[in-house]
Amino acid sequence: MGCAECCVRCLGGVPYASLVATLLCFAGVALFCGCGHEALGNALALLDEHFLYPHHDSLLLFQVVDVVRFSMYGTVAAFLLLGILLFTEGFFTTGAVQGRHGDFKTTACGRCISAMFIGLTYLLTLLWLGVLGLAALPVFLTLNIRSSCHAALTAAPNSSTPPVCVDLRQYGILPWNHSTALLCDRALENMCNTQEFILAHHLFIVAYAGAGATVIAMIHYLMVLTANWGYVKTFAASASSPGAAAPCSGSAQQGALGGGDAELGDLHNGKGVAATSPQDP
């Protein structure tokens, strides 16, 4: 066998749907955790410099921020392991791999593992939908501050209009007894022109996009795992009944399964036809 044929055989066994979901999951989690971690650090620097709210471990705000930042390290490690496990599960349920290694065989343990992955992925999808909603809050806050800065910049200096201000106490970030939580006009413009604010604003947007990409990856994983579960149950049932006909024709399986799964369906139907149909004289 030549090198080209060997490469074609190896590429034929790759679960491309699981591969796409894995790459999208890795990219989304990396963007969310990396950009979110850096954006939170810049936000704390802004609170210290412009709102005179220095970092204290005893305050609830900084405790929550520290918990979120440190949990991002565990999230990266957990989803790295999860992505590898889901890709491996998709690899071993690919029809091309099963067809290359002989008759299709499955066990109750394998079916339980597939069902466990489906339930876990469903729960993680709901979890990341909640994370996506929470990630929209800092984006909404920074957009409001930028719009206030734009309004303060375009206001006439000697007009009788009231000053444009931003009060972080209204967003629940700073306590109501903090007297320097209000920035107006020139002080607000100076904060919006700092590198920390501009970088934090863009990093929060990228982190939100990363959370959205992770949600899409989880939904993709859920579709792949569900399709593989139906594939495993269908061919396990046909393998346990040697005299039964194949679940569907080869052309129908090509339309339903596609790729390597349809290839295995053709092999399975071919064996059944060869074993049951009489030979012409």
Side-chain angles (χ1 to χ4, degrees), residues 15-22 86-87 89-91 93-94 114 117-118 121 216-232 261:
Y16 291 102
S18 298
L19 178 62
V20 171
T22 302
L86 292 178
F87 179 75
E89 198 273 343
F91 181 83
T93 54
T94 300
S114 297
F117 279 135
I118 293 175
T121 306
I216 296 174
M218 290 293 102
I219 295 175
H220 198 168
Y221 268 136
L222 194 59
M223 292 188 299
V224 171
L225 291 171
T226 306
N228 287 340
W229 169 257
Y231 166 73
V232 167
D261 296 350

Side-chain angles (χ1 to χ4, degrees), residues 187-207:
L188 182 60
E189 294 178 23
N190 292 335
M191 187 199 68
C192 291
N193 292 329
T194 58
Q195 189 67 27
E196 289 84 3
F197 178 78
I198 297 174
L199 186 60
H201 172 63
H202 291 93
L203 287 176
F204 277 130
I205 294 177
V206 176

Side-chain angles (χ1 to χ4, degrees), residues 60 66 80-81 103 110 134 142 175 197 201 224 228 250-251 273 279 281:
L60 179 61
D66 289 339
L80 177 63
L81 178 61
D103 294 334
L134 293 177
T142 54
F197 178 78
H201 172 63
V224 171
N228 287 340
S251 59
V273 170
Q279 298 293 331

Side-chain angles (χ1 to χ4, degrees), residues 1-279:
M1 180 185 299
C3 180
E5 295 180 359
C6 181
C7 292
V8 169
R9 286 173 60 87
C10 291
L11 291 176
V14 175
Y16 291 102
S18 298
L19 178 62
V20 171
T22 302
L23 295 178
L24 187 61
C25 179
F26 286 168
V29 172
L31 286 176
F32 173 77
C33 294
C35 295
H37 185 278
E38 188 66 22
L40 289 174
N42 289 333
L44 294 180
L46 288 173
L47 291 177
D48 187 9
E49 182 178 355
H50 295 276
F51 294 92
L52 303 179
Y53 198 69
H55 187 281
H56 290 290
D57 294 335
S58 60
L59 298 178
L60 179 61
L61 173 63
F62 298 106
Q63 291 177 356
V64 173
V65 171
D66 289 339
V67 169
V68 171
R69 295 180 71 183
F70 281 110
S71 65
M72 290 179 176
Y73 297 110
T75 302
V76 172
F79 274 84
L80 177 63
L81 178 61
L82 178 67
I84 294 174
L85 290 176
L86 292 178
F87 179 75
T88 304
E89 198 273 343
F91 181 83
F92 283 107
T93 54
T94 300
V97 175
Q98 299 292 344
R100 187 179 304 125
H101 290 281
D103 294 334
F104 186 87
K105 295 181 177 66
T106 184
T107 61
C109 180
R111 292 192 293 271
C112 289
I113 291 176
S114 297
M116 180 193 68
F117 279 135
I118 293 175
L120 178 62
T121 306
Y122 182 78
L123 294 178
L124 290 176
T125 303
L126 297 179
L127 175 63
W128 274 101
L129 284 173
V131 172
L132 182 64
L134 293 177
L137 296 179
V139 177
F140 172 75
L141 174 60
T142 54
L143 284 176
N144 280 346
I145 295 177
R146 281 179 63 91
S147 64
S148 300
C149 291
H150 180 72
L153 184 62
T154 55
N158 296 325
S159 63
S160 60
T161 58
V164 179
C165 300
V166 169
D167 191 354
L168 292 185
R169 293 174 297 184
Q170 296 178 346
Y171 298 97
I173 298 177
L174 298 180
W176 285 103
N177 58 1
H178 189 69
S179 59
T180 59
L182 185 69
L183 292 182
C184 298
D185 292 338
R186 182 59 61 184
L188 182 60
E189 294 178 23
N190 292 335
M191 187 199 68
C192 291
N193 292 329
T194 58
Q195 189 67 27
E196 289 84 3
F197 178 78
I198 297 174
L199 186 60
H201 172 63
H202 291 93
L203 287 176
F204 277 130
I205 294 177
V206 176
Y208 179 75
T214 308
V215 170
I216 296 174
M218 290 293 102
I219 295 175
H220 198 168
Y221 268 136
L222 194 59
M223 292 188 299
V224 171
L225 291 171
T226 306
N228 287 340
W229 169 257
Y231 166 73
V232 167
K233 287 192 65 177
T234 300
F235 285 94
S238 64
S240 61
S241 302
C248 57
S249 62
S251 59
Q253 286 180 346
Q254 288 180 0
L257 299 175
D261 296 350
E263 181 181 337
L264 176 61
D266 293 337
L267 292 174
H268 184 82
N269 290 337
K271 291 179 181 179
V273 170
T276 59
S277 60
Q279 298 293 331

